[in-house]
Amino acid sequence: QEGTDKVVGAVKMTGDGMPRTISEKLLHKLSEDEYYIEWMAVSAEARGQGAGKRMLEFCEEQARARGGKVLSLGVVNGNPARRLYERFGFVEKKRGACASCCTTVIISLLFGMPHGQIGAVIMEKQLVYLHDSEQSGH
């Protein structure tokens, strides 16, 4: 929390070549130039006060500083934080039936139904740079 020494949240983001646990590798295969938010948590008393948005801003800054082109994350179905991700510019990544089924099974085995629903989706935000839009004529 700003102005105090109280920790109200934490986030872990990885990119290609960074160490990841076996379960992290199973949940999502990183592509080149992608940075993936492995997990993010905000304490119950701090939700709705901007901590999640500040962590997303930090992750985006770090991904951009390292040349990332995509920032992505997984969200369990029914998680109310999905609204935050959508407001921040994340969109659901379309995947095939096999990938969706595998994700559902892995998520269910690892986490059960934390928000009363099974499965999860991958969301991503394309990181556009000023020089990219200048080159494309926009």
Side-chain angles (χ1 to χ4, degrees):
Q1 227 167 3
E2 290 184 42
T4 73
D5 59 356
K6 185 174 183 179
V7 175
V8 296
V11 63
K12 178 183 179 186
M13 180 181 73
T14 57
D16 193 33
M18 293 178 163
R20 299 175 80 208
T21 66
I22 292 171
S23 61
E24 289 168 347
K25 291 176 185 178
L26 281 172
L27 287 171
H28 183 72
K29 182 179 180 345
L30 287 170
S31 61
E32 190 176 329
D33 299 326
E34 175 186 11
Y35 283 81
Y36 184 74
I37 298 173
E38 301 283 356
W39 52 262
M40 187 169 96
V42 176
S43 65
E45 67 271 8
R47 290 185 187 140
Q49 298 177 27
K53 181 182 176 194
R54 286 192 296 277
M55 286 191 286
L56 290 174
E57 289 169 343
F58 173 79
C59 288
E60 183 173 338
E61 288 170 15
Q62 294 302 307
R64 285 179 181 278
R66 291 166 171 74
K69 295 198 168 122
V70 177
L71 181 61
S72 61
L73 54 79
V75 60
V76 176
N77 290 339
N79 186 339
R82 180 174 175 151
R83 290 186 304 275
L84 166 66
Y85 306 145
E86 289 170 343
R87 284 193 311 269
F88 197 74
F90 284 90
V91 295
E92 184 175 333
K93 181 178 181 180
K94 299 298 178 201
R95 301 179 309 145
C98 184
S100 294
C101 182
C102 289
T103 298
T104 297
V105 169
I106 292 169
I107 290 293
S108 298
L109 289 172
L110 292 174
F111 304 113
M113 297 187 328
H115 298 284
Q117 298 180 27
I118 62 169
V121 296
I122 300 295
M123 299 184 79
E124 60 184 17
K125 179 177 182 176
Q126 298 297 317
L127 303 179
V128 179
Y129 296 86
L130 183 58
H131 60 81
D132 291 342
S133 59
E134 288 171 350
Q135 290 173 352
S136 66
H138 294 107

